[in-house]
Amino acid sequence: MDLMDKIVSLCKRRGFIFQSSEIYGGLSNTWDYGPFGVELKNNIKRAWWKANVYQRSDILGMDAAILMHPKVWEASGHTANFFDLKSDCKSCKKRFKTEDLKGKTKCPECGGELTEGRPFNLMFKTHQGPIEDDANIIYMRPETAQGMFVNFLNILDSRHPKLPFGLAQIGKSFRNEITPGNFTFRTREFEQMEIEYFVRPEEADKKLEEWIEYRFNWYLELGIKKEGLRKRPHGKEELAHYARACTDIEYSFPFGWSELEGIANRTDFDLRQHSKVSGKDLVYFDEVKKERLTPYIIEPSGGIDRSVLAFLVDAYSEEKVKDETRLVLKLHRDLAPVKVAVLPLLKNRQEIVDMARALTQDLKKSFITVYDDTAAIGKLYRRQDEVGTLYCVTVDVQSLEDKQVTVRDRDTMKQDRIAIEKLKEYVSDKLNK
Ligand code: GAP
């Protein structure tokens, strides 16, 4: 089994990620996050918000609606420019992204004749309200960014930030991708974490470089191995219609180096376009220089689903322990879905079970904690290793007398005997190290 198959299988087996609508045969390339998946995803979002909003004084958070005025997409250029070329096979009717065909004129599946590349807009279109006519067309946003641009004046008027400053937002985006695939890597519904950082135009190049470093280091600090991460500047021909420069942070996925996040210099394109189309002046007044200016925008834009996948791939490890293979997810402590698992050594001794359950309830007040007594201890450890649980606490016969428990560390498998009254402090110290 290759690594990608192992990850997909682990995700299903342990409740990280399931195929959407599986009981109906599944909706292709659409995925649901299960109990551990949602925790991992939330932990990634929390870590991103902490590093980009709470720990900085120049960024404010936002949460704009998914549905926006259709003029937004006209101004942003998405109605006119946000398309891929598609080619259809005249025989088997399969559809391809023209650029993936690399000049081939015959269908790679059946050898049939292919149509010329035809533009296909990637925005999902629907109707607002009960009448399905062209006057009511509305789009599902293909990026969260525009929600921040159109609120530029609201932010200036309500919070009075000084340049340089940024807005940060996490939310769903939708693209009618022609060729989704590679598990959660390219899907039609996905989540983005985006920052729009407003700067004086002359500072844009310097700020772009700073953001590339800052964002690159964020992945490293959360445990991604250095050799699995790289920066790739875009060539002129691959820049989006709004960008003057862009560098991708790429991860070495099992299917090859692929984009995790793009950091772009969007210039003043968006603010000028929205000023033009809305008739509102989206400018900043520099009180010191007594100058009105349209800031440039540096945009670090990452995908949460891709981050989840990269963190899973990177953490996946198989170790030989006494002739057995131990599968363990070595997720960073801030990302691990479960911090503590409480496991009674004998589930048929009621006092042990009661003690373990009471301990679980108490630990839950401080850490994400689970209780499991549905198998023998070896199997219970294996389950917890596979979801990356940091500490396994076993309650045994001796615990009834000495009020101590055994704590096993996920990575070292070292065991410590700890007094129950000191357990929270012990775990806290480890988590905050
Ligand atoms: N606002 C800029 C923007 O949206 P992008 O490079 O098109 O730029 C940013 O997207 C990030 O969003 C990507 O780096 C990727 O992580 C994520 N992303 C884009 N399309 C995606 C898709 N179809 N499925 C999953 N993630 C996607």
Side-chain angles (χ1 to χ4, degrees):
M1 223 198 251
D2 76 8
L3 179 56
M4 207 53 212
D5 291 337
K6 288 179 179 178
I7 298 280
V8 175
S9 152
L10 172 75
C11 282
K12 179 168 165 62
R13 189 171 72 246
R14 292 290 176 228
F16 279 92
I17 301 172
F18 307 120
Q19 165 95 73
S20 161
S21 323
E22 198 182 299
I23 58 167
Y24 290 101
L27 178 65
S28 62
N29 299 298
T30 310
W31 304 96
D32 297 338
Y33 288 81
F36 292 129
V38 67
E39 296 300 336
L40 174 57
K41 202 179 189 195
N42 283 342
N43 288 344
I44 292 172
K45 292 189 215 177
R46 238 188 308 273
W48 185 89
W49 199 264
K50 189 169 151 194
N52 295 299
V53 181
Y54 295 149
Q55 290 181 342
R56 297 182 63 117
S57 5
D58 54 353
I59 301 202
L60 301 163
M62 268 212 55
D63 184 21
I66 289 174
L67 302 179
M68 302 182 76
H69 196 292
K71 288 249 180 226
V72 167
W73 308 112
E74 198 184 305
S76 70
H78 282 80
T79 322
N81 298 314
F82 194 57
F83 59 77
D84 280 339
L85 290 179
K86 66 170 169 66
S87 299
D88 294 314
C89 172
K90 291 183 183 167
S91 306
C92 71
K93 310 291 177 213
K94 263 208 118 171
R95 178 159 288 176
F96 302 93
K97 209 165 152 178
T98 309
E99 81 177 58
D100 293 345
L101 294 167
K102 298 192 170 68
K104 284 191 210 99
T105 53
K106 297 282 178 224
C107 171
E109 299 282 320
C110 74
E113 200 188 332
L114 292 166
T115 61
E116 289 273 297
R118 286 183 293 211
F120 175 75
N121 196 297
L122 298 177
M123 281 196 293
F124 272 97
K125 212 191 258 184
T126 184
H127 296 93
Q128 174 158 270
I131 301 163
E132 293 195 6
D133 66 17
D134 284 358
N136 296 323
I137 286 178
I138 199 153
Y139 299 97
M140 313 274 274
R141 68 180 177 202
E143 59 172 8
T144 67
Q146 299 299 326
M148 294 183 266
F149 303 145
V150 300
N151 275 293
F152 182 69
L153 293 181
N154 285 333
I155 298 294
L156 288 185
D157 292 346
S158 59
R159 298 297 310 268
H160 313 288
K162 300 278 170 271
L163 288 183
F165 74 90
L167 296 175
Q169 165 160 253
I170 292 177
K172 291 257 183 178
S173 293
F174 301 83
R175 296 183 190 175
N176 203 359
E177 300 279 2
I178 299 170
T179 49
N182 282 327
F183 196 26
T184 54
F185 181 81
R186 178 167 289 108
T187 50
R188 296 188 171 112
E189 171 183 347
F190 54 96
E191 231 172 331
Q192 290 186 307
M193 36 196 188
E194 297 199 294
I195 294 162
E196 306 305 328
Y197 197 72
F198 302 92
V199 300
R200 295 189 64 90
E202 64 274 19
E203 290 194 335
D205 292 343
K206 186 169 140 255
K207 292 292 174 197
L208 178 66
E209 292 311 311
E210 284 174 18
W211 271 107
I212 295 167
E213 281 314 302
Y214 187 70
R215 292 299 308 142
F216 190 80
N217 288 334
W218 182 79
Y219 292 99
L220 295 179
E221 279 158 21
L222 285 173
I224 295 271
K225 294 177 201 80
K226 218 174 178 161
E227 60 276 18
L229 211 59
R230 74 178 185 192
K231 300 168 198 149
R232 191 185 66 80
H234 278 208
K236 285 267 174 285
E237 68 298 342
E238 57 177 324
L239 288 173
H241 64 272
Y242 50 73
R244 173 176 293 180
C246 184
T247 290
D248 282 349
I249 296 177
E250 294 188 334
Y251 180 70
S252 168
F253 286 99
F255 44 85
W257 286 97
S258 308
E259 175 187 348
L260 263 184
E261 169 161 352
I263 299 128
N265 175 356
R266 289 182 81 126
T267 70
D268 53 6
F269 175 85
D270 299 274
L271 292 182
R272 281 196 191 279
Q273 279 297 107
H274 286 303
S275 297
K276 200 160 93 190
V277 177
S278 70
K280 303 280 184 311
D281 225 1
L282 272 61
V283 293
Y284 173 88
F285 183 67
D286 186 325
E287 281 168 13
V288 179
K289 297 192 171 172
K290 302 288 178 227
E291 177 193 9
R292 282 158 59 82
L293 69 131
T294 308
Y296 270 33
I297 292 165
I298 305 303
E299 178 192 64
S301 170
I304 296 167
D305 310 84
R306 287 188 190 179
S307 277
V308 170
L309 188 57
F311 282 115
L312 282 171
V313 168
D314 212 69
Y316 185 97
S317 115
E318 289 178 1
E319 299 174 348
K320 274 266 168 271
V321 180
K322 293 190 202 135
D323 293 336
E324 277 198 29
T325 303
R326 180 172 92 112
L327 196 173
V328 51
L329 269 192
K330 295 197 165 175
L331 288 166
H332 186 278
R333 58 179 181 265
D334 292 351
L335 302 187
V338 180
K339 309 302 180 202
V340 186
V342 180
L343 317 169
L345 213 53
L346 295 172
K347 67 173 174 187
N348 47 10
R349 280 285 297 271
Q350 195 55 45
E351 312 99 285
I352 294 182
V353 168
D354 290 346
M355 187 180 218
R357 283 195 184 278
L359 185 57
T360 305
Q361 275 316 111
D362 191 39
L363 288 169
K364 272 180 184 284
K365 292 178 197 153
S366 308
F367 321 104
I368 305 288
T369 305
V370 297
Y371 171 89
D372 194 1
D373 66 5
T374 56
I377 190 69
K379 199 163 181 184
L380 294 181
Y381 276 147
R382 273 205 299 284
R383 273 186 203 159
Q384 297 303 328
D385 285 345
E386 287 192 11
V387 300
T389 301
L390 295 168
Y391 301 101
C392 285
V393 172
T394 46
V395 180
D396 52 29
V397 179
Q398 188 67 24
S399 308
L400 298 172
E401 281 163 29
D402 64 8
K403 308 285 182 260
Q404 293 186 357
V405 287
T406 303
V407 185
R408 170 187 177 269
D409 181 290
R410 177 194 70 192
D411 297 333
T412 61
M413 290 198 291
K414 205 172 135 278
Q415 304 199 349
D416 284 337
R417 193 81 183 158
I418 304 290
I420 288 175
E421 61 175 11
K422 295 267 184 222
L423 186 58
K424 272 195 191 170
E425 193 184 321
Y426 173 90
V427 176
S428 259
D429 284 352
K430 298 250 180 198
L431 292 181
N432 297 318
K433 235 190 340 200

